[in-house]
Amino acid sequence: MKIDQLLSQSDFSHADLVNLLACNDADMLLLLEKGKKIKQEYVSNKVFLRGLVELSNTCVKNCLYCGIRCENTKIQRYFLNDDEVLEAVRFALDHNFPSLVLQSGERTDTAFVNRITLLLEKIRKYSNTPIGITLSMGEQSEEVYRRWFDAGANRYLLRIEATNPNLYKKIHPTDTLHDYQKRINSLYLLKKLGYQTGTGVMIGLPFQTLDDLAQDLLFFKKIDIDMVGMGPYVEHPDTPLFQHQAQLLSKEDRMNLSLKMIAILRIMMKDINIAAATALQSLDDLGREKALNAGANVIMPNLTPEKYREGYKLYENKPSTHEEAHDTTTALENRILSTGDTIAYGEQGDSKHFIEKKKIL
Ligand code: 5AD
Ligand code: SF4
């Protein structure tokens, strides 16, 4: 099928998706243009900012791709104190983007769960205005997810990482802690509890095929997700997956494939929030801007205090400069404006898809 014909559809079969993902450079430009056009039409050109706070790099898991996996003894583990988190909250409020993502490695022990609950309550009391809080803290029990929701978290990000169970197995250890079905169930739990729920995958993983990526896109649609954050896989030398580095797509190809995924998803799910993932920027300095031009509408400036940045290296070349926080209003704004988009200051930036769904219920 020709690209014009494919792009005139808004529902794609598995075969259509593979064709779109495999399209040549000239067709890719048309695809990205269409992604941007649909974004403008359905969610406008206003980009939502979320201050990203990387709370702790301690993790009980051992994902084969991740630099902060528990078996990596080369890094120093840290946990921000509450004041440091509140400082980031202050920064986001002062700069008029009342929305945060609190991310950390996975832990399920009581001390951790209680700490997060108290922190959420503290943030709620600290801020005079309502603030959107996204958690990204992995798989937890229903009770814990409920506690955190009641304490003030209203969004949750849990990337499925790879929807093909066989691929999932190849990039995770085989044990109960890294159980594919449990991760899927967690996503359904989050939805049931009322969270705006986000997921995502890594793009360009070793062993991954275009069929897998097509399946990923169909999965997002099937579970009717509210937000997606997906970005390129970036190898990390201190991880087991690094040994497959020779078989990876080039950085440019991983970048282009990521942009295609974003544009296709925007066409398929017109009113969801799609993040321009930080990993895009580690492959290409203009990666996030390119993502905005393909249909993404969320950017997460990193507000983690500088001294901890080195410790949160999930992958190689992760942007870790201090600039980000302080340049939020200047450099980042200019980067966003350069794409023709504007910034949705003053807004928490709920997923339109989620709001519309709630209206119907
Ligand atoms: N490359 C790209 N993304 C990675 N993540 C972890 N390791 C890598 C890597 N090597 C992503 C995972 C996880 C998120 C917090 O970071 O998708 O969900
Ligand atoms: Fe832990 Fe997440 Fe890294 Fe896996 S990807 S090791 S769960 S921080």
Side-chain angles (χ1 to χ4, degrees), residues 205-287:
L205 284 162
F207 321 114
Q208 189 181 46
T209 63
L210 295 186
D211 272 320
D212 293 331
L213 290 169
Q215 211 50 55
D216 292 339
L217 290 165
L218 291 170
F219 171 80
F220 301 150
K221 180 108 188 170
K222 183 181 128 205
I223 67 165
D224 197 25
I225 205 74
D226 305 306
M227 359 186 249
V228 170
M230 54 185 173
Y233 163 69
V234 186
E235 63 274 31
H236 189 299
D238 302 321
T239 62
L241 221 56
F242 193 70
Q243 61 183 294
H244 303 288
Q245 176 205 18
Q247 68 173 85
L248 294 178
L249 293 174
S250 71
K251 293 196 167 165
E252 192 188 347
D253 286 349
R254 270 179 271 165
M255 183 71 207
N256 287 342
L257 203 48
S258 303
L259 296 174
K260 286 178 183 174
M261 286 286 284
I262 289 173
I264 299 170
L265 181 65
R266 174 58 72 200
I267 301 169
M268 291 169 73
M269 300 189 76
K270 298 181 166 45
D271 57 358
I272 63 171
N273 278 345
I274 303 179
T278 313
L280 290 160
Q281 201 193 354
S282 71
L283 289 191
D284 177 341
D285 181 51
L286 293 177

Coordinates of all heavy atoms in Angstrom, one line a residue, residues 205-287:
L205 N 15.6 -2.4 20.8 CA 16.2 -3.4 21.7 C 16.8 -4.5 20.9 O 16.3 -4.8 19.8 CB 15.1 -4.0 22.6 CG 14.6 -3.2 23.8 CD1 13.3 -3.8 24.2 CD2 15.6 -3.2 24.9
P206 N 17.9 -5.1 21.4 CA 18.4 -6.3 20.7 C 17.2 -7.3 20.6 O 16.4 -7.4 21.6 CB 19.5 -6.8 21.5 CG 19.5 -6.0 22.8 CD 18.7 -4.8 22.6
F207 N 17.2 -8.1 19.6 CA 16.2 -9.1 19.4 C 14.8 -8.6 19.0 O 13.9 -9.3 18.6 CB 15.9 -10.1 20.6 CG 17.2 -10.4 21.3 CD1 17.4 -10.0 22.6 CD2 18.1 -11.2 20.7 CE1 18.5 -10.3 23.3 CE2 19.3 -11.6 21.4 CZ 19.5 -11.1 22.7
Q208 N 14.6 -7.3 19.0 CA 13.3 -6.7 18.7 C 13.0 -6.6 17.2 O 13.9 -6.2 16.5 CB 13.2 -5.3 19.4 CG 11.8 -4.7 19.4 CD 11.9 -3.3 20.0 OE1 12.8 -2.5 19.7 NE2 11.0 -3.0 21.0
T209 N 11.8 -6.9 16.8 CA 11.5 -6.8 15.4 C 10.4 -5.8 15.2 O 9.8 -5.3 16.1 CB 10.9 -8.2 14.8 OG1 9.7 -8.4 15.5 CG2 11.9 -9.3 15.1
L210 N 10.2 -5.4 13.9 CA 9.1 -4.5 13.6 C 7.7 -5.1 14.0 O 6.8 -4.4 14.4 CB 9.1 -4.1 12.1 CG 10.3 -3.3 11.7 CD1 10.1 -2.8 10.2 CD2 10.7 -2.1 12.6
D211 N 7.6 -6.4 13.9 CA 6.4 -7.1 14.3 C 6.1 -6.8 15.8 O 5.0 -6.5 16.2 CB 6.5 -8.6 14.2 CG 6.1 -9.0 12.8 OD1 5.1 -8.5 12.3 OD2 6.8 -9.9 12.2
D212 N 7.2 -6.9 16.6 CA 7.1 -6.6 18.0 C 6.6 -5.2 18.3 O 5.7 -4.9 19.1 CB 8.4 -6.7 18.8 CG 8.9 -8.2 18.8 OD1 8.1 -9.1 18.8 OD2 10.2 -8.4 18.8
L213 N 7.2 -4.2 17.5 CA 6.8 -2.8 17.8 C 5.3 -2.6 17.3 O 4.6 -1.8 17.9 CB 7.7 -1.9 17.0 CG 9.2 -1.8 17.6 CD1 10.1 -1.1 16.7 CD2 9.1 -1.1 19.0
A214 N 4.9 -3.2 16.2 CA 3.5 -3.1 15.8 C 2.6 -3.7 16.9 O 1.6 -3.0 17.2 CB 3.3 -3.9 14.5
Q215 N 3.0 -4.8 17.5 CA 2.3 -5.4 18.6 C 2.2 -4.4 19.8 O 1.2 -4.3 20.4 CB 2.9 -6.7 19.0 CG 2.0 -7.7 19.5 CD 0.8 -8.0 18.6 OE1 1.0 -8.3 17.4 NE2 -0.4 -7.9 19.1
D216 N 3.3 -3.7 20.0 CA 3.3 -2.7 21.1 C 2.2 -1.7 20.9 O 1.5 -1.3 21.8 CB 4.7 -2.1 21.2 CG 5.8 -3.0 21.7 OD1 5.5 -4.1 22.3 OD2 7.0 -2.7 21.4
L217 N 2.2 -1.2 19.7 CA 1.2 -0.1 19.4 C -0.2 -0.6 19.6 O -1.1 0.1 20.1 CB 1.4 0.4 18.0 CG 2.7 1.2 17.7 CD1 3.0 1.4 16.3 CD2 2.6 2.6 18.4
L218 N -0.5 -1.8 19.1 CA -1.8 -2.4 19.2 C -2.2 -2.6 20.7 O -3.3 -2.5 21.1 CB -1.9 -3.7 18.4 CG -1.9 -3.5 16.9 CD1 -1.7 -4.8 16.2 CD2 -3.1 -2.7 16.4
F219 N -1.2 -2.9 21.5 CA -1.4 -3.1 22.9 C -1.8 -1.8 23.6 O -2.8 -1.8 24.4 CB -0.1 -3.7 23.6 CG -0.1 -3.7 25.1 CD1 -0.7 -4.8 25.7 CD2 0.5 -2.7 25.8 CE1 -0.8 -4.8 27.1 CE2 0.5 -2.8 27.2 CZ -0.2 -3.8 27.9
F220 N -1.1 -0.7 23.3 CA -1.5 0.6 23.9 C -3.0 0.9 23.6 O -3.7 1.4 24.4 CB -0.7 1.7 23.3 CG 0.8 1.6 23.5 CD1 1.7 2.1 22.6 CD2 1.3 0.9 24.6 CE1 3.1 2.0 22.8 CE2 2.7 0.8 24.8 CZ 3.6 1.3 23.9
K221 N -3.4 0.6 22.4 CA -4.8 0.8 22.0 C -5.7 -0.1 22.7 O -6.8 0.3 23.2 CB -4.9 0.6 20.5 CG -6.2 0.8 19.9 CD -6.3 2.1 19.1 CE -7.7 2.4 18.7 NZ -7.9 3.7 18.1
K222 N -5.3 -1.4 22.8 CA -6.2 -2.4 23.4 C -6.5 -2.1 24.9 O -7.6 -2.2 25.3 CB -5.5 -3.8 23.3 CG -6.4 -4.9 23.8 CD -5.7 -6.2 23.7 CE -5.7 -6.9 25.1 NZ -4.7 -7.9 25.3
I223 N -5.4 -1.7 25.6 CA -5.7 -1.4 27.0 C -6.2 0.1 27.2 O -6.3 0.5 28.3 CB -4.5 -1.7 28.0 CG1 -3.3 -0.8 27.7 CG2 -4.1 -3.2 27.8 CD1 -2.3 -0.9 28.8
D224 N -6.3 0.8 26.1 CA -6.9 2.1 26.2 C -6.1 3.0 27.2 O -6.7 3.6 28.1 CB -8.4 2.0 26.6 CG -9.1 3.3 26.3 OD1 -8.7 4.0 25.4 OD2 -10.2 3.6 27.0
I225 N -4.8 3.1 26.9 CA -3.9 3.8 27.8 C -4.1 5.3 27.7 O -4.6 5.8 26.7 CB -2.5 3.4 27.4 CG1 -1.5 3.6 28.6 CG2 -2.0 4.2 26.2 CD1 -1.7 2.5 29.7
D226 N -3.8 6.0 28.8 CA -4.0 7.5 28.8 C -2.7 8.3 28.4 O -2.8 9.4 27.9 CB -4.4 8.0 30.2 CG -5.6 7.2 30.7 OD1 -6.6 7.2 30.0 OD2 -5.6 6.6 31.8
M227 N -1.6 7.7 28.7 CA -0.3 8.3 28.4 C 0.7 7.3 27.9 O 0.7 6.2 28.4 CB 0.2 9.1 29.6 CG -0.7 9.1 30.8 SD -0.1 10.1 32.1 CE 0.5 8.9 33.3
V228 N 1.6 7.7 27.1 CA 2.7 6.8 26.7 C 4.0 7.6 26.7 O 4.1 8.7 26.3 CB 2.4 6.3 25.3 CG1 3.7 5.5 24.7 CG2 1.2 5.3 25.2
G229 N 5.0 6.9 27.3 CA 6.4 7.4 27.2 C 7.2 6.3 26.6 O 7.3 5.2 27.3
M230 N 7.7 6.5 25.5 CA 8.6 5.5 24.9 C 9.8 6.1 24.2 O 9.7 7.2 23.7 CB 7.8 4.6 23.9 CG 7.1 5.4 22.8 SD 6.1 4.3 21.8 CE 5.3 5.6 20.7
G231 N 10.9 5.5 24.3 CA 12.1 6.1 23.7 C 13.0 5.0 23.3 O 12.8 3.8 23.5
P232 N 14.1 5.4 22.6 CA 15.1 4.4 22.2 C 15.8 3.7 23.3 O 16.0 4.2 24.4 CB 16.1 5.3 21.4 CG 15.9 6.7 22.0 CD 14.5 6.8 22.4
Y233 N 16.1 2.4 23.0 CA 17.0 1.7 23.9 C 18.4 2.3 23.7 O 18.8 2.5 22.6 CB 17.0 0.2 23.6 CG 18.1 -0.5 24.2 CD1 18.2 -0.7 25.5 CD2 19.2 -1.0 23.3 CE1 19.3 -1.4 26.1 CE2 20.2 -1.7 23.9 CZ 20.3 -1.9 25.3 OH 21.4 -2.6 25.8
V234 N 19.0 2.6 24.8 CA 20.4 3.1 24.8 C 21.3 2.2 25.6 O 21.0 2.0 26.8 CB 20.5 4.5 25.3 CG1 21.9 5.1 25.1 CG2 19.5 5.4 24.6
E235 N 22.3 1.6 25.0 CA 23.1 0.6 25.7 C 23.9 1.2 26.9 O 24.2 2.3 26.8 CB 24.0 -0.1 24.8 CG 25.1 0.7 24.1 CD 24.6 1.4 22.8 OE1 23.3 1.7 22.8 OE2 25.4 1.7 21.9
H236 N 24.1 0.4 27.9 CA 24.8 0.8 29.1 C 25.9 -0.3 29.3 O 25.6 -1.5 29.4 CB 23.9 0.9 30.3 CG 24.6 1.5 31.5 ND1 25.7 0.9 32.1 CD2 24.3 2.6 32.2 CE1 26.1 1.7 33.1 NE2 25.2 2.7 33.2
P237 N 27.2 0.1 29.4 CA 28.3 -0.9 29.4 C 28.3 -1.8 30.6 O 28.8 -2.9 30.6 CB 29.6 0.0 29.4 CG 29.1 1.4 29.7 CD 27.7 1.5 29.3
D238 N 27.7 -1.3 31.7 CA 27.7 -2.2 32.9 C 26.4 -3.0 33.1 O 25.9 -3.2 34.2 CB 27.9 -1.3 34.2 CG 29.2 -0.5 34.1 OD1 30.2 -1.1 33.6 OD2 29.1 0.7 34.5
T239 N 25.9 -3.4 31.9 CA 24.7 -4.3 32.0 C 24.9 -5.5 31.1 O 25.6 -5.4 30.1 CB 23.4 -3.5 31.5 OG1 23.7 -3.1 30.1 CG2 23.1 -2.3 32.3
P240 N 24.2 -6.6 31.4 CA 24.4 -7.8 30.6 C 24.0 -7.6 29.1 O 24.6 -8.2 28.2 CB 23.4 -8.8 31.2 CG 23.2 -8.3 32.6 CD 23.3 -6.8 32.5
L241 N 23.0 -6.8 28.8 CA 22.5 -6.6 27.4 C 23.6 -6.0 26.5 O 23.5 -6.0 25.3 CB 21.2 -5.8 27.4 CG 20.1 -6.3 26.5 CD1 19.8 -7.8 26.7 CD2 18.9 -5.5 26.6
F242 N 24.5 -5.3 27.2 CA 25.6 -4.6 26.4 C 26.3 -5.6 25.5 O 26.8 -5.1 24.4 CB 26.6 -4.0 27.4 CG 27.5 -3.0 26.8 CD1 27.0 -1.8 26.3 CD2 28.8 -3.2 26.6 CE1 27.8 -0.8 25.7 CE2 29.7 -2.3 26.0 CZ 29.2 -1.1 25.6
Q243 N 26.4 -6.9 25.8 CA 27.1 -7.8 25.0 C 26.5 -7.9 23.6 O 27.1 -8.4 22.7 CB 27.2 -9.2 25.7 CG 25.8 -9.8 25.9 CD 26.0 -11.1 26.7 OE1 26.5 -12.1 26.1 NE2 25.5 -11.1 27.9
H244 N 25.2 -7.5 23.4 CA 24.6 -7.6 22.1 C 24.7 -6.3 21.3 O 24.0 -6.1 20.3 CB 23.1 -8.0 22.3 CG 22.9 -9.3 23.1 ND1 23.2 -10.5 22.5 CD2 22.5 -9.5 24.3 CE1 23.0 -11.4 23.4 NE2 22.6 -10.8 24.5
Q245 N 25.5 -5.5 21.8 CA 25.7 -4.1 21.2 C 25.9 -4.1 19.7 O 25.4 -3.3 19.0 CB 26.8 -3.5 22.0 CG 27.3 -2.2 21.6 CD 28.8 -2.1 22.1 OE1 29.4 -3.1 22.3 NE2 29.3 -0.9 22.2
A246 N 26.7 -5.1 19.2 CA 27.0 -5.2 17.8 C 25.8 -5.4 16.9 O 25.8 -5.0 15.7 CB 28.0 -6.3 17.6
Q247 N 24.8 -6.0 17.4 CA 23.6 -6.2 16.6 C 22.5 -5.1 16.7 O 21.5 -5.2 16.1 CB 23.0 -7.6 16.9 CG 22.3 -7.6 18.3 CD 21.6 -8.9 18.5 OE1 22.1 -9.9 18.9 NE2 20.2 -8.9 18.3
L248 N 22.9 -4.0 17.3 CA 21.9 -2.9 17.4 C 21.8 -2.2 16.2 O 22.7 -2.1 15.4 CB 22.3 -2.0 18.6 CG 22.3 -2.5 20.0 CD1 22.7 -1.4 21.0 CD2 20.9 -3.0 20.4
L249 N 20.6 -1.5 16.0 CA 20.5 -0.6 14.9 C 21.4 0.6 15.2 O 21.7 0.9 16.4 CB 19.0 0.0 14.8 CG 17.9 -1.0 14.4 CD1 16.6 -0.4 14.6 CD2 18.1 -1.5 13.0
S250 N 21.7 1.4 14.2 CA 22.5 2.6 14.4 C 21.7 3.5 15.3 O 20.5 3.4 15.3 CB 22.9 3.2 13.1 OG 21.7 3.8 12.5
K251 N 22.4 4.5 15.9 CA 21.7 5.5 16.7 C 20.6 6.2 15.9 O 19.5 6.5 16.3 CB 22.6 6.4 17.4 CG 23.5 5.7 18.4 CD 24.2 6.5 19.4 CE 24.7 5.6 20.5 NZ 25.7 6.2 21.3
E252 N 21.0 6.5 14.7 CA 20.1 7.3 13.8 C 18.9 6.5 13.5 O 17.7 7.0 13.5 CB 20.9 7.7 12.5 CG 20.1 8.7 11.7 CD 20.7 8.9 10.3 OE1 21.9 8.5 10.1 OE2 20.0 9.5 9.5
D253 N 19.1 5.2 13.2 CA 17.9 4.3 12.9 C 17.0 4.2 14.1 O 15.8 4.1 14.0 CB 18.4 3.0 12.4 CG 18.9 3.1 11.0 OD1 18.7 4.1 10.3 OD2 19.5 2.1 10.5
R254 N 17.6 4.1 15.3 CA 16.8 3.9 16.5 C 16.0 5.2 16.7 O 14.8 5.2 17.2 CB 17.7 3.7 17.7 CG 17.9 2.2 18.0 CD 18.8 2.0 19.2 NE 20.2 2.0 18.8 CZ 21.2 2.1 19.6 NH1 21.0 2.2 20.9 NH2 22.5 2.1 19.2
M255 N 16.6 6.3 16.4 CA 16.0 7.6 16.6 C 14.8 7.7 15.6 O 13.7 8.0 16.0 CB 17.0 8.7 16.2 CG 16.5 10.1 16.4 SD 16.4 10.4 18.2 CE 15.1 11.7 18.0
N256 N 15.0 7.4 14.4 CA 14.0 7.4 13.4 C 12.8 6.5 13.7 O 11.6 6.8 13.5 CB 14.5 7.2 12.0 CG 15.3 8.4 11.5 OD1 15.2 9.5 12.0 ND2 16.2 8.1 10.5
L257 N 13.2 5.3 14.2 CA 12.1 4.3 14.5 C 11.3 4.9 15.7 O 10.1 4.7 15.7 CB 12.8 3.0 14.9 CG 12.0 1.7 14.8 CD1 11.3 1.6 13.5 CD2 12.9 0.5 15.0
S258 N 12.0 5.5 16.6 CA 11.2 6.1 17.8 C 10.3 7.2 17.3 O 9.1 7.3 17.8 CB 12.2 6.7 18.8 OG 13.1 5.7 19.2
L259 N 10.7 8.0 16.4 CA 9.9 9.1 15.9 C 8.7 8.5 15.1 O 7.6 9.0 15.2 CB 10.7 10.0 15.0 CG 11.8 10.8 15.7 CD1 12.6 11.6 14.6 CD2 11.2 11.7 16.8
K260 N 8.9 7.5 14.3 CA 7.8 6.8 13.6 C 6.8 6.3 14.6 O 5.6 6.4 14.4 CB 8.4 5.7 12.8 CG 9.1 6.1 11.5 CD 9.6 4.8 10.8 CE 10.4 5.2 9.5 NZ 11.0 3.9 8.9
M261 N 7.3 5.6 15.7 CA 6.4 5.1 16.7 C 5.5 6.2 17.3 O 4.3 6.0 17.5 CB 7.2 4.4 17.8 CG 7.8 3.1 17.5 SD 6.6 1.7 17.4 CE 6.3 1.4 19.1
I262 N 6.1 7.3 17.6 CA 5.4 8.4 18.2 C 4.3 8.9 17.2 O 3.1 9.1 17.6 CB 6.3 9.6 18.6 CG1 7.2 9.1 19.8 CG2 5.6 10.9 18.9 CD1 8.3 10.1 20.2
A263 N 4.7 9.1 15.9 CA 3.7 9.7 15.0 C 2.6 8.7 14.7 O 1.4 9.1 14.7 CB 4.5 10.0 13.6
I264 N 2.9 7.4 14.6 CA 1.8 6.4 14.4 C 0.9 6.4 15.5 O -0.3 6.3 15.4 CB 2.4 5.0 14.1 CG1 3.3 5.0 12.9 CG2 1.3 4.0 13.9 CD1 4.1 3.7 12.7
L265 N 1.5 6.4 16.8 CA 0.6 6.3 17.9 C -0.3 7.5 18.0 O -1.4 7.4 18.4 CB 1.5 6.2 19.2 CG 0.7 6.1 20.5 CD1 -0.1 4.8 20.6 CD2 1.7 6.2 21.7
R266 N 0.3 8.7 17.7 CA -0.6 9.9 17.7 C -1.8 9.8 16.7 O -2.9 10.2 17.1 CB 0.3 11.1 17.4 CG -0.5 12.4 17.2 CD -1.2 12.8 18.5 NE -0.4 13.2 19.6 CZ -0.8 13.2 20.9 NH1 -2.0 12.8 21.2 NH2 0.0 13.6 21.8
I267 N -1.5 9.2 15.6 CA -2.6 9.0 14.6 C -3.6 8.0 15.2 O -4.8 8.1 15.0 CB -2.0 8.5 13.2 CG1 -1.0 9.6 12.7 CG2 -3.2 8.3 12.2 CD1 -0.2 9.1 11.5
M268 N -3.1 7.0 15.8 CA -4.0 5.9 16.4 C -4.8 6.4 17.6 O -5.9 6.0 17.8 CB -3.2 4.7 16.8 CG -2.6 3.9 15.6 SD -1.4 2.7 16.3 CE -2.5 1.4 17.0
M269 N -4.1 7.1 18.5 CA -4.7 7.5 19.8 C -4.6 9.0 19.9 O -3.6 9.5 20.5 CB -4.1 6.8 20.9 CG -4.2 5.2 20.8 SD -3.6 4.4 22.3 CE -5.0 4.6 23.4
K270 N -5.5 9.7 19.3 CA -5.3 11.1 19.0 C -5.2 12.0 20.2 O -4.6 13.1 20.2 CB -6.5 11.6 18.1 CG -6.5 10.8 16.8 CD -7.6 11.3 15.9 CE -7.4 10.8 14.4 NZ -7.1 9.4 14.3
D271 N -5.9 11.7 21.3 CA -6.0 12.6 22.4 C -5.2 12.2 23.7 O -5.5 12.7 24.8 CB -7.5 12.9 22.8 CG -8.2 11.7 23.1 OD1 -7.7 10.6 23.0 OD2 -9.4 11.8 23.4
I272 N -4.3 11.2 23.5 CA -3.6 10.8 24.7 C -2.4 11.8 24.9 O -2.0 12.5 24.0 CB -3.1 9.3 24.6 CG1 -2.1 9.2 23.5 CG2 -4.2 8.4 24.5 CD1 -1.4 7.8 23.5
N273 N -1.7 11.7 26.1 CA -0.5 12.4 26.3 C 0.7 11.5 25.8 O 0.8 10.3 26.2 CB -0.3 12.8 27.8 CG -1.0 14.0 28.1 OD1 -1.5 14.8 27.2 ND2 -1.2 14.3 29.4
I274 N 1.6 12.1 25.0 CA 2.8 11.3 24.6 C 4.0 12.1 25.0 O 4.1 13.3 24.6 CB 2.8 11.1 23.1 CG1 1.5 10.3 22.7 CG2 4.0 10.3 22.7 CD1 1.4 10.0 21.1
A275 N 4.9 11.5 25.7 CA 6.1 12.2 26.2 C 7.2 12.1 25.2 O 7.4 11.1 24.5 CB 6.6 11.6 27.5
A276 N 8.0 13.2 25.1 CA 9.2 13.2 24.4 C 10.3 12.7 25.4 O 10.8 13.5 26.2 CB 9.5 14.6 23.9
A277 N 10.6 11.4 25.3 CA 11.4 10.8 26.4 C 12.8 11.4 26.4 O 13.4 11.7 25.3 CB 11.5 9.3 26.1
T278 N 13.4 11.4 27.6 CA 14.8 11.9 27.7 C 15.8 11.1 26.9 O 16.7 11.7 26.4 CB 15.2 11.9 29.2 OG1 14.1 12.4 30.0 CG2 16.4 12.7 29.5
A279 N 15.5 9.8 26.8 CA 16.5 9.0 26.0 C 16.7 9.5 24.6 O 17.7 9.3 24.0 CB 16.1 7.5 26.1
L280 N 15.6 10.1 24.1 CA 15.7 10.6 22.7 C 16.9 11.7 22.6 O 17.6 11.7 21.6 CB 14.4 11.3 22.3 CG 13.2 10.5 22.1 CD1 11.9 11.3 22.2 CD2 13.3 9.8 20.7
Q281 N 17.0 12.4 23.7 CA 18.0 13.5 23.7 C 19.4 12.9 23.8 O 20.4 13.6 23.4 CB 17.7 14.4 24.8 CG 18.3 15.8 24.7 CD 18.3 16.6 26.0 OE1 17.7 16.2 26.9 NE2 18.9 17.8 25.9
S282 N 19.5 11.7 24.4 CA 20.9 11.2 24.5 C 21.4 10.6 23.2 O 22.6 10.4 23.0 CB 20.9 10.1 25.6 OG 20.3 9.0 25.2
L283 N 20.5 10.3 22.3 CA 20.9 9.9 20.9 C 21.1 11.1 20.0 O 21.9 11.0 19.0 CB 19.9 8.9 20.3 CG 19.8 7.6 20.9 CD1 18.9 6.7 20.0 CD2 21.1 6.9 21.1
D284 N 20.4 12.1 20.2 CA 20.4 13.3 19.3 C 20.1 14.5 20.1 O 19.0 14.5 20.8 CB 19.3 13.0 18.2 CG 19.2 14.1 17.2 OD1 19.6 15.2 17.5 OD2 18.6 13.8 16.1
D285 N 20.9 15.5 20.1 CA 20.7 16.7 20.9 C 19.3 17.3 20.6 O 18.7 17.9 21.5 CB 21.8 17.7 20.7 CG 21.5 18.9 21.5 OD1 21.3 18.8 22.8 OD2 21.5 20.1 21.0
L286 N 18.8 17.1 19.4 CA 17.5 17.7 19.1 C 16.4 16.6 19.1 O 15.3 16.8 18.6 CB 17.5 18.3 17.7 CG 18.4 19.5 17.5 CD1 18.4 20.0 16.1 CD2 17.9 20.7 18.4
G287 N 16.7 15.5 19.8 CA 15.7 14.4 19.8 C 14.4 14.7 20.3 O 13.3 14.4 19.7

